[in-house]
Amino acid sequence: TGPLSLECLGNLLRITLSAEYFGDKYLSVFIIDQSGTAWELDEAMAAQCGYTVTYTSWRNIEFHASALSCHSHLEKDVFTVTIQIKASHTPDMSNATIHLKSASCHYGPWSPRELICESNYMEVSVRREVPQTIKDFIQDEPEDWALAFPEAKAEEASIWQIVFHQPEEKRALLVSNAWSAGYGLNTTDSRVLLRVPYAAAQVQLVKDQGITFSVLRSSTFYKYQWMILMLDTAVACPADGVDYTNKTITWTVPKYIPPLSAGVTSFKDVLVEGGVDLRKLSAKEMASRKYVLLNELKAITMKIPIGAEGGYYKTSVSNGQLGVKYTINLFMEHQWEDNKWRLTKHTIIKEIETPFEQAEVAITSNLNLSARLMNITVGTFLPDAELVNLTIEGVAVAVPEAVQHGYLIHRTRYANGSKAYVIEVPLDAPSVKKEYLREDMRAYTLNVTLTFITYPSRETFVIPVIVLSAVKDAVLPSARGFCDGRNLHLVITHGNVDQNWLPFISDWHLTQEVAQKYNYILRANGTHLAISVPFLSPHVSYEGFHTSAIKASFYLTLKDGITLAQRRDFSVSCIFSPSELIQCLPNGTVIITAIKLVGGEDLDTALLVLRDRQCKPSLVTEKTATFKFNVNTCGTSRKFNSTTMTYENEVLYFRSGNDTPIYQLKFLCSYAVKQDADIQYEPKKSPPPSIKPGFGCLALSLKLFKEKSYSEPYQESEYPVVKYLREALYFEVELLQPKDARLDLNLDDCWATNSQSQDSLPQWHILMHGCENNKDSYRTVFHKVNYSLRVKFPQHLKRFEVRMFSFVQDTSLLQE
């Protein structure tokens, strides 16, 4: 009923602050006295003045005030308390809203002695009885006071003193000193009150029947005319006595403890009642809740099943672990008669909290394939826990901002006040990891950490949420292969699972650098990967050889980029003509390439020979050996017929100590014996040959190689290259396009500059009109280019060597 509600419970007032209004706010509580002055409430003032602030179930806040609290306005049998609540969303209390509440309660007839044990203070109030005055008595000297009562000698003008009885001494304090020490004292026309914080210096811990009590033994003195009156203001409250066994709370309070029964010789129970939240419960109500109240000879015992109605569970955190504690605010009232006080009422308010019990959080996941959504339900949680942020890929994101990362968060409330959180995440969200499982299955993994905060304690705990869902939506990469006259081609179409898969040839990760090294062509875009390899390549397998055909295959494997597990194999196989292995040049030169077939792994291609075993290969790879020789050498035989001359030889392989070859490749070259050609000529001097200038598109490359063998160029990642003076630089210029055997590459001018601009100055000519610069101290050296697997047209390349130099002016080094 609004933000503040009140209830009168005997000599106590309870004001409840609704969690709906105040649960997520910072609060300041003020007490308004009769003059209108606001006193801000803190822990020390609350214990001294008779106020208690506690948190209850559903995050409500309760304010208790004693009828004899410091700022109560007493009039007849009514006490009035006025409080002011300031609430703000920020700790500095800016933009605070103010709520003012004044409450009046009737308080019933007082017992001669009343004791209250609140959670933060002990209170005793006793009836003040003044004897009849003796007429005409005159006090002669002030010293008479000291002789009668040493505790009363401090100041004659003082009305009140309090004497604390401790085992080792008695200590007297004036009212002002007692107030400064944190004690609360009050008086009415008929009563004297003493209020004691549990942490007060004179409080002692005393055991009775195995139960520890907080005890203060004191006497309060005041002067009345010619008399000093003394009141016994001893107070005792149980500090423990709670046991937890068999899912039951057992609270035991001994009766008639010595500090409260000094000088008493007879006792009689008048009333024993119990309840919850300051409410007394009838025997029927207790039975319905399975409470047990036992009034035994020496003690009163209450038994409460853990989890019973009247208490509540609250969230607790221990060493970062989530758990719960059951809390119940029990209430016990014991009234008894004795020969000293007549009637004593002892009211004990006890908040009991069970030990920490670890809680498991249920996490369930449902997959909405039509919407491609993961729905994760986390919980349930108690009302005092709130989700405040999510950690997504290592970044903390507040709940309102989670939608920007694709996360929709809903809170589901249940009838008992508990709640769960539902998180919706698209399968295609960047933070959802995707992994290929098998066949057409993909695994979607959500890994997010939820951070919660508890109220009012503001403890934090985290819940890791790892959800794995398998979905039949995998699209595997596919491939098609084809061949032309001299190359094998493989084109791979990407699927949706191979974003992090890497292409491998055998154990080589296929990169642009590897492709360039072997003269392969590698092209890739977002959807396709294409590779072209020449027929005579190190990674081509030769699986069959017949007189009319050679079967060649190229294999490529896709592997996982992290684990390197083999994911997918592709291959292309084609039939090539054996004529690709041999060239019969018009000048009688023969170039023959022998290949190693699959299954002949123990064959060493470097040991292949021709009929004349002195003729060895000029170029060797793991799978091929290339011979270049003249038809009149290497044991070549020849045959004639009327039209052709045929030269024949063999590539052979012998095992050590055996003259019978285990590998034999027979080849031949045929030349026409007679060929007619019509030739016209005139007996005049022909003009000198000339080349007419023309225009066209040429593709050229200039590369710097590491060694004179020109086998390994510097890669782009290795620039800039560091060299020392006079160290050799090996350059190669190649005509890339067009591939026309009729073309020759000739270099005219080649020069070096001091910057990346070819037109900058100074310049130094390395080649001039196709020749070395004769002004150079270390002249350029040309290197011959021979045929090889990489070099199909030697006339398309020029190689030269230059010594490292630097630009100087006078004696100074020129730098860019």
Side-chain angles (χ1 to χ4, degrees):
T1 59
L4 299 172
S5 60
L6 62 90
E7 194 171 9
C8 298
L9 300 161
N11 293 340
L12 291 170
L13 163 70
R14 176 168 64 196
I15 298 178
T16 302
L17 284 63
S18 170
E20 182 180 353
Y21 290 87
F22 299 105
D24 58 348
K25 297 180 177 67
Y26 294 88
L27 302 181
S28 293
V29 180
F30 295 83
I31 311 297
I32 311 298
D33 65 13
Q34 296 179 47
S35 67
T37 302
W39 300 84
E40 185 171 5
L41 189 64
D42 57 22
E43 290 184 6
M45 177 180 168
Q48 186 173 34
C49 284
Y51 306 115
T52 304
V53 178
T54 60
Y55 289 86
T56 64
S57 59
W58 321 125
R59 289 166 53 187
N60 288 336
I61 302 171
E62 282 192 2
F63 169 82
H64 298 172
S66 168
L68 297 178
S69 59
C70 295
H71 308 95
S72 296
H73 175 56
L74 302 172
E75 187 172 353
K76 295 183 179 179
D77 58 349
V78 174
F79 70 95
T80 301
V81 176
T82 303
I83 68 168
Q84 182 188 81
I85 307 294
K86 290 185 179 180
S88 173
H89 288 284
T90 58
D92 62 1
M93 303 305 293
S94 60
N95 302 316
T97 57
I98 298 176
H99 302 265
L100 190 67
K101 189 75 172 180
S102 184
S104 298
C105 291
H106 290 270
Y107 57 93
W110 291 92
S111 298
R113 179 172 65 164
E114 293 200 2
L115 303 137
I116 296 178
C117 298
E118 257 285 11
S119 60
N120 58 332
Y121 66 84
M122 301 183 289
E123 180 180 291
V124 54
S125 69
V126 297
R127 183 177 298 161
R128 183 175 71 175
E129 296 181 354
V130 180
Q132 185 177 0
T133 302
I134 299 175
K135 217 174 169 184
D136 299 329
F137 180 84
I138 298 174
Q139 178 181 332
D140 295 325
E141 297 292 340
E143 287 78 6
D144 293 340
W145 287 80
L147 293 173
F149 290 99
E151 294 87 350
K153 69 182 180 181
E155 291 188 17
E156 292 182 43
S158 173
I159 298 175
W160 291 98
Q161 283 195 88
I162 183 168
V163 176
F164 299 105
H165 302 268
Q166 293 181 292
E168 64 277 3
E169 63 177 352
K170 295 181 182 179
R171 185 183 178 192
L173 289 180
L174 300 177
V175 172
S176 58
N177 295 335
W179 189 265
S180 299
Y183 294 94
L185 299 116
N186 201 354
T187 182
T188 67
D189 292 340
S190 61
R191 301 191 73 80
V192 172
L193 174 136
L194 172 65
R195 191 174 296 112
V196 185
Y198 287 105
Q202 281 71 36
V203 172
Q204 304 169 55
L205 295 178
V206 176
K207 276 190 177 292
D208 184 66
Q209 301 180 41
I211 306 300
T212 302
F213 281 80
S214 295
V215 174
L216 181 78
R217 294 183 62 238
S218 63
S219 301
T220 301
F221 295 85
Y222 64 95
K223 301 175 187 176
Y224 184 78
Q225 296 184 8
W226 53 268
M227 295 173 290
I228 287 183
L229 301 179
M230 182 187 76
L231 297 173
D232 182 355
T233 49
V235 62
C237 292
D240 53 24
V242 181
D243 187 34
Y244 312 95
T245 53
N246 300 323
K247 297 290 183 180
T248 301
I249 299 170
T250 302
W251 179 30
T252 302
V253 180
K255 298 193 292 188
Y256 320 126
I257 62 172
L260 301 182
S261 56
V264 177
T265 57
S266 63
F267 299 94
K268 179 184 177 182
D269 282 340
V270 174
L271 180 69
V272 173
E273 290 183 312
V276 176
D277 295 330
L278 302 182
R279 296 172 183 267
K280 297 178 182 178
L281 297 178
S282 65
K284 184 177 180 180
E285 288 174 316
M286 284 198 174
S288 69
R289 299 185 183 197
K290 298 184 179 179
Y291 294 4
V292 175
L293 178 63
L294 300 174
N295 183 14
E296 298 172 316
L297 180 63
K298 294 185 178 181
I300 302 168
T301 302
M302 285 187 73
K303 294 185 178 183
I304 311 292
I306 294 176
E309 179 188 352
Y312 63 95
Y313 283 98
K314 67 179 181 180
T315 304
S316 182
V317 181
S318 176
N319 297 323
Q321 295 295 313
L322 172 65
V324 296
K325 294 181 178 180
Y326 175 75
T327 301
I328 188 167
N329 290 299
L330 293 179
F331 165 80
M332 182 187 293
E333 183 177 299
H334 179 207
Q335 296 186 32
W336 71 87
E337 290 180 346
D338 58 46
N339 60 325
K340 177 180 178 181
W341 292 98
R342 296 193 297 279
L343 184 65
T344 295
K345 182 166 74 171
H346 195 183
T347 302
I348 304 172
I349 301 164
K350 184 76 171 177
E351 181 182 48
I352 296 176
E353 184 177 271
T354 61
F356 175 87
E357 182 179 348
Q358 188 168 337
E360 298 295 330
V361 177
I363 300 174
T364 58
S365 173
N366 294 305
L367 202 58
N368 185 342
L369 286 177
S370 61
R372 289 187 63 77
L373 285 175
M374 297 175 78
N375 291 297
I376 300 99
T377 302
V378 185
T380 57
F381 297 97
L382 295 173
D384 58 353
E386 286 287 341
L387 176 63
V388 291
N389 65 46
L390 302 82
T391 301
I392 304 171
E393 295 185 304
V395 178
V397 178
V399 170
E401 300 169 3
V403 67
Q404 301 173 14
H405 296 259
Y407 289 67
L408 290 178
I409 301 174
H410 309 282
R411 182 169 55 191
T412 301
R413 291 193 180 276
Y414 301 107
N416 64 357
S418 62
K419 57 194 171 186
Y421 290 90
V422 179
I423 304 172
E424 290 185 1
V425 188
L427 288 175
D428 301 313
S431 58
V432 177
K433 303 303 179 187
K434 304 162 190 67
E435 184 181 8
Y436 174 62
L437 289 178
R438 61 189 178 278
E439 298 174 352
D440 59 350
M441 300 291 290
R442 276 201 296 178
Y444 291 82
T445 303
L446 174 69
N447 189 341
V448 63
T449 300
L450 309 182
T451 301
F452 292 79
I453 190 169
T454 64
Y455 293 97
S457 60
R458 295 189 175 270
E459 295 178 298
T460 59
F461 63 92
V462 298
I463 303 294
V465 176
I466 302 175
V467 176
L468 175 68
S469 297
V471 181
K472 289 186 175 182
D473 66 350
V475 179
L476 295 172
S478 58
R480 64 183 181 90
F482 60 94
C483 298
D484 54 26
R486 307 189 69 175
N487 298 283
L488 297 91
H489 305 276
L490 194 61
V491 179
I492 298 172
T493 302
H494 292 300
N496 61 8
V497 298
D498 56 325
Q499 293 85 354
N500 297 317
W501 294 2
L502 303 176
F504 275 77
I505 305 174
S506 299
D507 292 327
W508 288 82
H509 175 205
L510 181 58
T511 63
Q512 285 290 356
E513 289 77 8
V514 171
Q516 188 175 10
K517 177 180 179 180
Y518 292 106
N519 206 27
Y520 301 163
I521 298 174
L522 180 66
R523 298 179 296 275
N525 57 27
T527 58
H528 293 81
L529 174 72
I531 181 170
S532 301
V533 299
F535 163 63
L536 293 175
S537 297
H539 298 103
V540 172
S541 298
Y542 307 101
E543 300 173 349
F545 197 152
H546 303 281
T547 55
S548 60
I550 302 172
K551 182 181 179 182
S553 299
F554 172 70
Y555 296 89
L556 183 139
T557 300
L558 294 181
K559 295 185 179 183
D560 189 284
I562 298 174
T563 65
L564 295 183
Q566 190 168 318
R567 293 300 191 188
R568 199 87 165 131
D569 293 317
F570 298 109
S571 65
V572 55
S573 298
C574 294
I575 302 300
F576 288 86
S577 170
S579 62
E580 294 292 328
L581 301 178
I582 189 168
Q583 295 182 61
C584 301
L585 301 181
N587 63 0
T589 299
V590 178
I591 302 173
I592 178 70
T593 299
I595 58 176
K596 179 167 64 174
L597 297 178
V598 173
E601 283 75 10
D602 59 343
L603 188 147
D604 186 352
T605 55
L607 299 180
L608 290 169
V609 295
L610 298 179
R611 285 175 178 170
D612 181 351
R613 296 191 189 183
Q614 299 301 315
C615 294
K616 301 184 185 303
S618 59
L619 181 65
V620 173
T621 69
E622 183 184 352
K623 297 180 180 179
T624 65
T626 301
F627 297 83
K628 184 177 181 181
F629 62 99
N630 189 273
V631 292
N632 296 318
T633 62
C634 296
T636 306
S637 62
R638 57 186 175 181
K639 295 179 182 179
F640 294 91
N641 61 30
S642 59
T643 59
T644 60
M645 181 181 293
T646 301
Y647 294 89
E648 184 179 291
N649 207 327
E650 294 173 293
V651 179
L652 305 169
Y653 184 82
F654 299 92
R655 290 192 187 278
S656 178
N658 194 332
D659 288 335
T660 301
I662 64 168
Y663 178 97
Q664 188 173 17
L665 174 63
K666 186 178 289 187
F667 60 93
L668 54 85
C669 284
S670 296
Y671 294 90
V673 173
K674 182 179 180 181
Q675 185 173 0
D676 294 333
D678 294 328
I679 300 174
Q680 277 188 335
Y681 67 94
E682 292 183 5
K684 69 177 182 179
K685 188 177 181 181
S686 298
S690 63
I691 300 174
K692 292 183 179 180
F695 297 93
C697 295
L698 301 177
L700 299 168
S701 73
L702 173 63
K703 296 179 183 177
L704 177 62
F705 282 76
K706 297 181 178 180
E707 296 176 345
K708 190 176 181 179
S709 63
Y710 287 89
S711 60
E712 185 178 0
Y714 284 100
Q715 303 300 323
E716 184 176 348
S717 61
E718 296 179 87
Y719 286 93
V721 176
V722 177
K723 293 286 186 179
Y724 298 98
L725 287 176
R726 300 181 185 175
E727 192 174 350
L729 302 171
Y730 301 100
F731 291 99
E732 178 186 90
V733 181
E734 181 180 5
L735 174 63
L736 301 176
Q737 293 292 339
K739 297 288 188 182
D740 191 335
R742 297 171 299 172
L743 296 177
D744 280 358
L745 175 66
N746 291 289
L747 303 181
D748 187 28
D749 287 325
C750 180
W751 67 93
T753 66
N754 197 32
S755 72
Q756 294 185 3
S757 172
Q758 64 181 15
D759 299 322
S760 65
L761 295 175
Q763 297 179 355
W764 183 259
H765 284 270
I766 296 170
L767 300 175
M768 298 178 67
H769 308 298
C771 300
E772 305 93 332
N773 184 353
N774 56 16
K775 296 180 181 179
D776 204 333
S777 302
Y778 298 91
R779 295 191 178 185
T780 303
V781 177
F782 286 97
H783 294 293
K784 185 179 179 180
V785 182
N786 296 316
Y787 173 86
S788 68
L789 284 177
R790 188 173 75 84
V791 180
K792 303 299 183 184
F793 302 104
Q795 66 270 30
H796 287 184
L797 285 87
K798 285 291 184 288
R799 292 171 175 169
F800 56 90
E801 174 185 337
V802 178
R803 294 290 175 173
M804 183 66 187
F805 65 91
S806 60
F807 289 94
V808 295
Q809 182 173 2
D810 296 331
T811 59
S812 300
L813 180 67
L814 291 180
Q815 296 182 348
E816 183 182 358

